Amino acid sequence: MQIDVNLFGPLAEIAASDVITVKLEGDANASGVLQAIHASSPELRPALATCRLAVNHDYALPEDEVTPRDEVALIGMVSGG
């Protein structure tokens, strides 16, 4: 199964794209998507420790199911004042 993952701001700059597509071989859950990003996008690996995955506009728990119809986004560290 393939999942499109939206990227924003610095993450999009690092990946040189605002969307990456990852292929899931095993579990179709948020944890599996993060593992697939780690495996397929080495340029994003340093940032993954401070990122969260959002599925359909809500932060996802590792066990939350992900389907190709879902809107998936990798959310980087956010700061502001």
Side-chain angles (χ1 to χ4, degrees):
M1 158 186 349
Q2 291 187 345
I3 302 290
D4 290 333
V5 180
N6 295 307
L7 305 174
F8 305 97
L11 295 174
E13 289 178 23
I14 291 168
S17 178
D18 58 355
V19 177
I20 59 171
T21 301
V22 296
K23 190 173 193 175
L24 296 181
E25 298 294 334
D27 295 333
N29 58 29
S31 179
V33 172
L34 287 172
Q35 290 173 7
I37 293 169
H38 185 273
S40 67
S41 300
E43 69 278 8
L44 291 173
R45 287 180 191 159
L48 289 177
T50 59
C51 291
R52 298 220 22 217
L53 202 69
V55 177
N56 298 325
H57 303 273
D58 289 319
Y59 285 118
L61 297 173
E63 65 273 9
D64 286 350
E65 182 182 1
V66 179
T67 71
R69 297 179 310 275
D70 291 326
E71 182 179 14
V72 179
L74 186 63
I75 308 296
M77 188 175 358
V78 179
S79 65

